[in-house]
Amino acid sequence: MDTLNELLGGFATAMTWQNLIFAFLGCLLGTIIGVLPGVGPVAGVALLIPLTLNLDPAGSIIMLCAIFYGTQYGGTITSVLLNTPGEASSAITTIDGYAMTKIGRAGAALTLAAVGSFIGGTVATIGLVAAAKPLGELGLLVGPPEFFALMVVGISLLVALAGKSMVKALISGALGLLISMVGIDPVAGAPRFTFGMDRLLDGVSFVAVIVGVFGLSEILSYRKNAETPLVHAPGFRSLFPSRTEWRRSAPAMARGTGVGFGLGLIPGMTGSVSSLLSYASEKKFSHFRHELGRGAVEGVAGPETANNAHANAALIPLFTLGIPASPTIAVLMGAFLQQGLTPGPSLFTEHSEIAWAIIASLFIGNVLLLLLNVPLVGLWTSILRVPTPILTALILLFMVIGAYTINFSVFDVFVMIGFGLLGLALRNLDIPLAPMVLTLVLGPLMERSLRESLEISQGDFSVFLNRPISAVLIALGVLIICSPLLKFRKPKALTEDPEA
Amino acid sequence: MKISAAVAAVALLALTGCGASAGASSATGDDFPKKGKSIDLVVAFASGGAVDTAARLVQPVLEKELGTNVEVINKPGAGGQIGYTALTSAKPDGYTIGATGSPSVVVSPLDPSRGAKYTRSSFQPLGRQVIDPAVIAVQPDNPYKTLKELLDAVKANPKSLTASTTGLQTGEHFALAQIQETTGAEFAPVHFSEGASQATTAFLGKHVDVLVANVSDVTDLTKQNKARVLGIMTAERSPSLPDVPTFKESGYDVEAGTARGYSAPAGLPDAVAKKLEAALQKAIEDPEVVKKMNDLGLQTSYLSGKDYETFWAGQEADFKKVLPLVQKKD
């Protein structure tokens, strides 16, 4: 019952009107990012961090989390109505979603996707509540050596996010580590890589780097091919699925929840993998598999449930272990750290109130998204009518203002622009950006826990192997790092993962 | 069609506008603080620690006294150096003030290897709020029942026990150095640069043997019987830990602790400094704030800006003595 009390306490915090407004704003912005085909979730969350920097920790994280899962809802809308996925994780939805639009069932498709998303997200959040307490209890068992080992596991995910070329992934990861080293050394207090510049003593602003590398470079490399066709939002009447459609969707949603939740727990898997596998499982198990591809509701309900279950389940390793499972979550983790919260086992021992408030807000956010999404389809699609040049200019303006407001310094704006150009160069060289954000966030934590551990053991490296938890975790990390050498064939869904 | 596109564009523009705020202007003092311009209170330590808690208690009263928003901004890291650098490099216009705590603020400029960009004269002290004595604590089931037993054991076996600090050359580290200087007992320090809550978590998880902390950090822990405090480094016993003997009673002449107050970057216009000092005194001596500080195990002991400056200079002289013991030996 302890968990329930803490969750209720969390609801009390999350239900204050200002936190409700933050959750609402987050859902709104997240949906918009989801709808815009040019802005992915990583860029979107990165670009909105500056908005939340000056809020109190709870409000800021509530808003960012809402943005994060809001993107999963928004991506569906364009998939169904336009045959253009707003997000990679909704790509597979285009097949049956757009087919449903052509037979005049667009409204039903969107409603089923929203309801499925709500169910998937809520079930995964219940999972987080169940996992939080036992793993939070582990908080005290995790000392610096164990935390270091967790970070090793986190960094080893580079392998999973590497995409096609391991060398390029390592280049990207090393760059991130290098950037994270700039500033005053956290243990001895000596300045590093500051080149005598006062401005660099604080390190390079994480937010400016992220906004530049992910946001700006994405905008710079975004080329629009065709005019967006005019979209006719479905009428209010057509939003209600028929009884048959509900009946057929239910098992697909159940399967989608299972697939998304399971894969979301595995660090290194992205939401796209979940939606692809959910579609594959519909092809195998659905009673109406012969209809898939011609507007079958299962092809919408399954994957859309799966990607939201995945998004919310991926918060479980973040909250309880401090391991970011995907690039978007790594950016989210960076935002936690900006607010002085270290995600991981100690979160529940040191800041349990905030942690539970955030968890409670996940439930609220899922309800808000359900209410927001379907009736307002017309509004979302009208965003697509804003001409691309104007939209791009607005986003650029937003980035510059955002970078400036971090510390009210023009220096940060130049940092953002510089890193935007770097991001563009990396994209053109086909170097993945995901490893960079991972090391940028985990690097400093890894360094600090390494040095604390060695102070505890007075310089003896065996401290990591003498303690059971850290030994197991280090072994796991080494195993993941060596996995490509074991000629382990990645499933097809992984190698073709557009988000990695 | 055109109209809804325009509406959407305007909505986006409105969204981009929120969160941005206007630039800075210089203050002469009479019109300080300007309406709607908020004051940043830089805290050089993570949220949840003692410095942060005190600042957040003072903040609402300051807002009332000054008639403007006061924002607490955490800039933790490098034993406070990051936050102090930010504070001293801010414009001395009264719109940036900071919580200053010793020893961190006193010591970081003394050690040339740390490359601090500020000295004592970079700060303009505005008022002292509390003195928080250092304590030494062990696990409740620890075999050492008294301070003497613990120190004798460590004397016999130098560096056999690890002790937490909140970073290199912090109050806890100096306390350990002063113990070593006076008693000859040398602990192996483990520096948790993120602050007291991280050090306490590591102690509760039994990753370090001895918790060196301030009275305020251990008041709750002793109530919950999670730590046994063996000694307190003050001249007299603390009202919040009446059962804990002082080091003096146990026969060791060690006094250590942290003092916390508020300062601005040096060079404030007089009128602005006066307004800030007066508001701070009101906030620090506010009965509600004093009571809440007491609940945290913190004794309010207000000093005006001038007296705080004298006290600061005195501490600087004390710390210079044991400095060689706390410098990083590579």
Side-chain angles (χ1 to χ4, degrees):
Chain A
M1 279 294 93
D2 214 12
T3 306
L4 196 63
N5 281 336
E6 289 188 303
L7 183 61
L8 288 173
F11 268 107
T13 314
M15 297 286 254
T16 58
W17 63 269
Q18 63 205 91
N19 282 343
L20 281 176
I21 288 177
F22 291 142
F24 175 78
L25 274 178
C27 292
L28 201 72
L29 291 165
T31 309
I32 292 174
I33 286 168
V35 168
L36 295 173
V39 189
V42 185
V45 175
L47 130 107
L48 295 169
I49 286 182
L51 261 189
T52 65
L53 273 185
N54 293 326
L55 307 177
D56 64 311
S60 120
I61 304 294
I62 283 174
M63 184 162 161
L64 280 169
C65 285
I67 290 169
F68 165 65
Y69 48 84
T71 55
Q72 307 292 329
Y73 276 80
T76 316
I77 296 173
T78 47
S79 288
V80 171
L81 298 180
L82 288 175
N83 206 9
T84 345
E87 304 300 337
S89 59
S90 293
I92 195 80
T93 314
T94 53
I95 302 175
D96 286 278
Y98 192 60
M100 280 179 80
T101 302
K102 283 197 286 202
I103 54 174
R105 298 302 296 153
L110 288 172
T111 304
L112 288 170
V115 170
S117 295
F118 168 75
I119 291 171
T122 305
V123 169
T125 308
I126 292 171
L128 172 57
V129 172
K133 198 73 194 167
L135 285 163
E137 299 288 321
L138 288 180
L140 292 181
L141 294 176
V142 176
E146 285 80 10
F147 193 78
F148 173 76
L150 274 175
M151 292 300 111
V152 170
V153 175
I155 292 258
S156 70
L157 298 177
L158 274 180
V159 175
L161 295 173
K164 296 179 194 72
S165 155
M166 186 53 70
V167 174
K168 285 179 172 174
L170 291 175
I171 290 174
S172 167
L175 264 176
L177 277 180
L178 190 64
I179 297 161
S180 76
M181 289 289 133
V182 177
I184 295 178
D185 140 26
V187 178
R192 297 186 296 202
F193 302 115
T194 55
F195 308 102
M197 287 165 78
D198 277 356
R199 287 202 171 104
L200 289 175
L201 279 177
D202 274 354
V204 187
S205 162
F206 167 80
V207 180
V209 171
I210 294 285
V211 172
V213 166
F214 284 90
L216 184 61
S217 72
E218 187 148 330
I219 297 295
L220 292 176
S221 62
Y222 177 45
R223 287 180 193 73
K224 194 143 185 270
N225 311 329
E227 269 306 301
T228 318
L230 271 188
V231 195
H232 292 287
F236 188 71
R237 255 255 181 109
S238 73
L239 288 176
F240 296 100
S242 68
R243 207 175 281 185
T244 328
E245 284 169 331
W246 281 119
R247 225 191 359 254
R248 284 177 50 179
S249 299
M253 285 179 189
R255 282 188 289 263
T257 303
V259 169
F261 185 75
L263 287 178
L265 290 178
I266 304 171
M269 295 280 171
T270 54
S272 331
V273 183
S274 275
S275 52
L276 290 171
L277 281 178
S278 156
Y279 197 80
S281 76
E282 290 314 304
K283 265 198 144 55
K284 246 200 191 80
F285 300 111
S286 165
H287 292 303
F288 301 90
R289 52 181 166 263
H290 52 278
E291 283 183 37
L292 277 173
R294 293 190 311 230
V297 285
E298 291 87 347
V300 176
E304 285 306 320
T305 307
N307 68 29
N308 269 64
H310 184 110
N312 281 277
L315 294 173
I316 297 177
L318 173 72
F319 269 75
T320 54
L321 303 171
I323 293 180
S326 72
T328 324
I329 302 250
V331 173
L332 205 57
M333 182 168 174
F336 269 78
L337 296 169
Q338 294 284 316
Q339 295 285 357
L341 306 166
T342 306
S346 64
L347 186 68
F348 289 91
T349 38
E350 290 177 26
H351 302 281
S352 92
E353 274 175 34
I354 294 179
W356 285 104
I358 295 166
I359 293 175
S361 83
L362 300 180
F363 286 108
I364 296 168
N366 271 304
V367 175
L368 284 175
L369 280 165
L370 184 62
L371 299 177
L372 262 183
N373 235 280
V374 181
L376 296 182
V377 160
L379 175 70
W380 306 131
T381 48
S382 62
I383 288 169
L384 290 170
R385 294 203 205 106
V386 180
T388 311
I390 292 179
L391 197 64
T392 315
L394 278 177
I395 294 176
L396 281 176
L397 172 74
F398 187 80
M399 284 179 192
V400 172
I401 292 173
Y404 176 72
T405 50
I406 304 164
N407 299 313
F408 295 102
S409 93
V410 178
F411 181 74
D412 284 338
V413 177
F414 284 111
V415 168
M416 190 269 292
I417 294 171
F419 277 97
L421 295 173
L422 175 73
L424 185 65
L426 294 180
R427 276 173 201 267
N428 290 340
L429 293 168
D430 224 4
I431 292 178
L433 298 174
M436 185 161 152
V437 67
L438 197 68
T439 50
L440 199 60
V441 173
L442 297 185
L445 296 175
M446 199 169 172
E447 182 198 13
R448 208 166 43 218
S449 50
L450 172 67
R451 292 168 75 170
E452 284 161 5
S453 308
L454 292 177
E455 277 170 342
I456 286 176
S457 68
Q458 296 176 38
D460 185 358
F461 273 91
S462 66
V463 66
F464 300 109
L465 305 175
N466 295 342
R467 302 164 63 129
I469 299 181
S470 87
V472 169
L473 289 169
I474 297 256
L476 181 68
V478 170
L479 197 70
I480 298 175
I481 291 170
C482 296
S483 64
L485 304 175
L486 300 174
K487 291 279 179 283
F488 161 75
R489 296 243 341 254
K490 280 189 181 178
K492 205 166 162 217
L494 267 183
T495 41
E496 292 176 4
D497 183 356
E499 281 180 63
Chain B
M1 288 298 115
K2 274 246 169 70
I3 289 173
S4 63
V7 168
V10 168
L12 274 175
L13 195 53
L15 283 172
T16 54
C18 66
S21 68
S25 69
S26 70
T28 51
D30 303 328
D31 57 348
F32 175 85
K34 279 202 174 58
K35 260 250 162 306
K37 192 160 157 57
S38 64
I39 294 176
D40 286 349
L41 203 170
V42 180
V43 170
F45 298 93
S47 57
V51 183
D52 176 73
T53 311
R56 285 178 199 274
L57 283 178
V58 167
Q59 174 208 358
V61 191
L62 269 187
E63 287 191 332
K64 205 174 66 202
E65 291 298 321
L66 294 166
T68 185
N69 278 347
V70 176
E71 303 227 13
V72 175
I73 293 177
N74 298 88
K75 286 190 179 284
Q81 193 167 330
I82 289 174
Y84 296 140
T85 306
L87 172 64
T88 49
S89 51
K91 263 210 208 88
D93 56 6
Y95 292 105
T96 310
I97 56 175
T100 38
S102 62
S104 54
V105 75
V106 181
V107 177
S108 42
L110 295 182
D111 182 352
S113 74
R114 299 190 52 160
K117 300 271 183 203
Y118 51 87
T119 63
R120 186 159 58 86
S121 59
S122 315
F123 296 88
Q124 180 160 346
L126 297 169
R128 187 183 76 179
Q129 185 177 11
V130 285
I131 292 194
D132 197 1
V135 294
I136 191 161
V138 291
Q139 301 285 349
D141 56 1
N142 190 293
Y144 305 117
K145 295 279 180 265
T146 66
L147 183 63
K148 191 170 179 328
E149 284 173 33
L150 175 76
L151 293 183
D152 286 346
V154 178
K155 237 188 290 196
N157 244 331
K159 291 201 160 188
S160 55
L161 292 178
T162 51
S164 69
T165 80
T166 55
L168 194 80
Q169 299 173 1
T170 51
E172 296 80 7
H173 196 191
F174 267 96
L176 283 170
Q178 282 165 288
I179 292 173
Q180 191 186 330
E181 170 95 342
T182 327
T183 71
E186 188 181 1
F187 291 88
V190 179
H191 304 302
F192 294 97
S193 56
E194 284 208 311
S197 56
Q198 196 204 358
T200 310
T201 307
F203 168 77
L204 292 175
K206 306 193 177 172
H207 305 290
V208 282
D209 304 313
V210 174
L211 176 69
V212 181
N214 291 322
V215 172
S216 56
D217 302 322
V218 297
T219 335
D220 281 346
L221 294 181
T222 43
K223 273 184 201 142
Q224 300 158 359
N225 200 16
K226 287 180 177 166
R228 195 168 64 232
V229 185
L230 294 181
I232 177 168
M233 302 175 213
T234 41
E236 281 154 27
R237 290 197 180 201
S238 154
S240 36
L241 296 168
D243 307 337
V244 176
T246 64
F247 270 57
K248 271 220 173 73
E249 289 171 48
S250 315
Y252 308 103
D253 188 15
V254 180
E255 275 191 39
T258 62
R260 299 193 198 102
Y262 300 91
S263 309
L268 281 188
D270 280 344
V272 174
K274 270 206 185 70
K275 272 187 187 162
L276 283 171
E277 270 202 53
L280 270 167
Q281 179 169 4
K282 274 257 171 47
I284 290 169
E285 292 180 334
D286 182 90
E288 266 300 292
V289 174
V290 171
K291 188 184 163 305
K292 281 181 183 151
M293 295 294 282
N294 271 344
D295 294 344
L296 295 166
L298 288 165
Q299 307 307 313
T300 298
S301 77
Y302 174 77
L303 285 182
S304 70
K306 212 173 170 54
D307 294 341
Y308 182 30
E309 195 161 2
T310 316
F311 168 83
W312 193 322
Q315 274 205 314
E316 197 173 49
D318 284 349
F319 289 145
K320 274 185 175 157
K321 270 190 241 147
V322 285
L323 200 58
L325 289 179
V326 295
Q327 271 167 334
K328 194 94 183 159
K329 304 174 199 65
D330 291 317

